[in-house]
Amino acid sequence: MEAGISLSRAALLLVDVQRDLLHEDGALARVGLPTLRTEDRQRLLSQYRELVAAMRHAGRPIVWVKTALRADLVDSGHARSWLEPRREAAGEFLVEGSWVAELMDGLPVESSDYVVVKKSRILRNVHARKLIVTGGATTGCVWATVQDGLALGYDMTVVADAVYPPGAAGLAALARWCPVRPATDVLAELAADPVEE
């Protein structure tokens, strides 16, 4: 473990500093969680601003990590048993695009910062077991997606003429790991396969 902080290799991550989680009118405050006093909230916001200023001064990256969920919770990694009571008691909870899902007021967010929205468990929540992969690049993200999917136990199929760059040499390598098939075959199979209940 490295001692101290080397600013030349550091980035600041600010995780879930959102209204629903910290604001006095946010969902957690409305259901009594956490018990955050006004002075504690102000101290936290002040510390965030100081840390951001120090990182900006050093020219280092600032990454705001947000939770923003679809209203149907399909993209949530949280158990419904944890989310539903909060939604029932407080109404909207971290719904994407809503006032409550936005970052706290007074935070020095700039256009040069990075904003990452956490999404998780979508495939598991929609009960997908077989993944049809398209897009690119074949030897980059498509390859990594196939490898990760296989490691997680998904059946993977790559659509050969729906990846880029066209005719990439990486398709032959992918074919050792999973089926690589033309779109016409995949479409025909999808049309012939009844939807499972």
Side-chain angles (χ1 to χ4, degrees):
M1 183 178 291
E2 189 175 321
I5 296 174
S6 171
L7 271 179
S8 65
R9 293 183 289 165
L12 176 63
L13 305 181
L14 298 109
V15 180
D16 291 348
V17 290
Q18 296 165 256
R19 292 174 178 149
D20 238 352
L21 305 171
L22 288 175
H23 197 280
E24 62 259 9
D25 294 325
L28 290 190
R30 290 196 307 273
V31 298
L33 297 168
T35 51
L36 195 60
R37 298 176 310 185
T38 300
E39 53 270 20
D40 292 333
R41 183 179 297 108
Q42 294 308 316
R43 180 186 51 76
L44 285 170
L45 292 171
S46 177
Q47 287 178 333
Y48 299 149
R49 287 190 289 269
E50 286 182 46
L51 287 163
V52 167
M55 293 298 279
R56 272 199 218 297
H57 181 74
R60 298 307 302 152
I62 296 159
V63 182
W64 304 89
V65 182
K66 294 172 43 174
T67 299
L69 307 173
R70 288 170 41 125
D72 63 8
L73 303 178
V74 166
D75 53 354
S76 173
H78 300 291
R80 283 188 180 268
S81 60
W82 185 86
L83 281 172
E84 290 299 343
R86 284 150 181 81
R87 282 203 169 170
E88 288 170 12
E92 279 188 335
F93 183 62
L94 296 172
V95 173
E96 193 165 24
S98 67
W99 178 85
V100 294
E102 293 306 317
L103 296 170
M104 286 289 288
D105 301 316
L107 293 174
V109 182
E110 292 187 4
S111 60
S112 59
D113 295 347
Y114 301 94
V115 178
V116 176
V117 178
K118 294 187 289 183
K119 299 286 182 181
S120 61
R121 295 183 58 170
I122 295 171
L123 298 172
R124 181 176 299 153
N125 289 345
V126 299
H127 309 292
R129 294 184 308 273
K130 301 177 185 208
L131 305 182
I132 301 164
V133 183
T134 66
T138 305
T139 56
C141 294
V142 169
W143 177 268
T145 299
V146 168
Q147 295 301 307
D148 289 348
L150 290 170
L152 293 169
Y154 290 100
D155 293 329
M156 309 295 287
T157 297
V158 174
V159 184
D161 49 352
V163 294
Y164 62 86
L171 285 174
L174 279 171
R176 293 188 310 222
W177 295 97
C178 71
V180 175
R181 302 175 52 211
T184 52
D185 288 1
V186 173
L187 289 167
E189 189 173 331
L190 291 174
D193 190 23
V195 176
E196 293 180 14
E197 295 298 324

